[in-house]
Amino acid sequence: MEMSPEEKFKEISPADFFYRNRDIAGFSNPVRALYTAVRELVENSLDACEARGILPDIVLFLTIEGQASSERNVVRIKITDNGGGIPPEHIPNAFGKILFGSKYTLIQSRGTFGLGGKMAYLYGQITTNNPLEITVGYRKKIYFFKIMIDIKKNEPIVLEREEKNNSKKWNGTIVSFTLEGDYFRAFPKILEYIKLSALVAPYANITLIDAYGRLIRFSRSTVQMPNPPKETLPHPHGVDVEMVKRLAEENRKRTLISFLTRSFHRVGKETSSRILGQLNLSPDTVVGELGLDEIVRLTQALKNYDGFLPPDASILSPIGEALLKEGIKKELEPEVLAVESRKPQAYSGHPFIVEVGIAYGGRITPPEDGNAII
Ligand SMILES: Nc1ncnc2c1ncn2[C@@H]1O[C@H](COP(=O)(O)OP(=O)(O)O)[C@@H](O)[C@H]1O
Ligand SMILES: [Mg+2]
């Protein structure tokens, strides 16, 4: 059968995909778009500080620059942080290429896919067509960039680039851009989000300057920070065929026994020998010689073996009971407060920790209908 001439095939870039499906990233209406954008930027700043053990100092400016329709304002978001900045060669992609980021590792962070911040800039660009302005203090220089995103190609377009000496040794990032959003409906949600962020990060200074020029400051009450998370190897219970294939590709020259013990978390020599014995594979086989069916069998064996210790929780950075208590006291001054950090647990090879705080009274606003919320 002949194909009808109307059928046209083409490929779209990741930026184009998220442009067409921006609702899945939280940019579905003017209220959510503004709220999500602020959230992504605050999280990037907190991530940048926490990953380096820096006490966060974050200032967020919101200004209304114009009116797009009765419910849409042109809002400028500007955020400054002291999180150490970004190496200059990565600045264009970090801010102008969707799915590019530094968090594709097995380590806890707020961002994951190299997407969040860029969705905010992309949304800003398609609604207001202004470039994104980035200033980064990194080592001996201060870099300034004006960037737009080529959505069809998923590439940054650098409109301006300048650098000067960093005489005051400031290390951090300033991002400034405009987008359409419903400022007045989004504002209470933004304020609530920042308050909750201050509550779980009592070691952060977060300042908000709103569209009326009011300054709302959430000050740190402690200089104690949670231990930064450590990167680890994948736990065998969380692997799949694709992952084992990739790891085998990177370790083609190793013997099976050294591959297993060096590439996976909680896999020692004895366990490896036992698993290889079950599979009738010799520990001295070179990884590059494995066929695809052997990789599939090895993956199944790793997933199903129940003798591994659960993953250790060092890739996590729990707040901990003391800091959680500190944060809740600082923001809510409750009459009654109880906190609990449970022991780490694992699901499919991924560790997690449940941390809870329950508080009553003080500055907690009672619900309007009189029903208590716990
Ligand atoms: N304020 C910042 N300070 C330092 N690095 C940042 C900052 N904002 C973004 N980045 C870098 O840009 C990358 C992309 O950010 P983003 O698009 O939000 O994706 P994600 O946070 O999911 O990685 C981050 O992984 C990080 O390396
Ligand atoms: Mg992010």
Side-chain angles (χ1 to χ4, degrees), residues 310-311 313 316 342-347 350-354:
L316 300 175
R342 292 209 185 136
K343 286 213 184 80
Q345 283 183 295
Y347 178 76
H350 302 285
F352 66 94
I353 292 180
V354 177

Side-chain angles (χ1 to χ4, degrees), residues 363-371:
R363 279 172 32 212
I364 301 170
T365 331
E368 277 166 20
D369 59 6
N371 291 328

Side-chain angles (χ1 to χ4, degrees), residues 108-128:
Q108 174 184 316
S109 65
R110 293 174 172 81
T112 318
F113 300 118
L115 179 67
K118 265 144 321 190
M119 274 309 293
Y121 320 138
L122 189 151
Y123 190 84
Q125 177 173 320
I126 62 172
T127 53
T128 64

Side-chain angles (χ1 to χ4, degrees), residues 44-45 48 81 85-86 94 100-103 111-118 173:
N44 278 352
S45 291
D81 68 53
I86 308 168
F100 179 96
S102 60
K103 302 172 197 166
T112 318
F113 300 118
L115 179 67
K118 265 144 321 190
T173 304

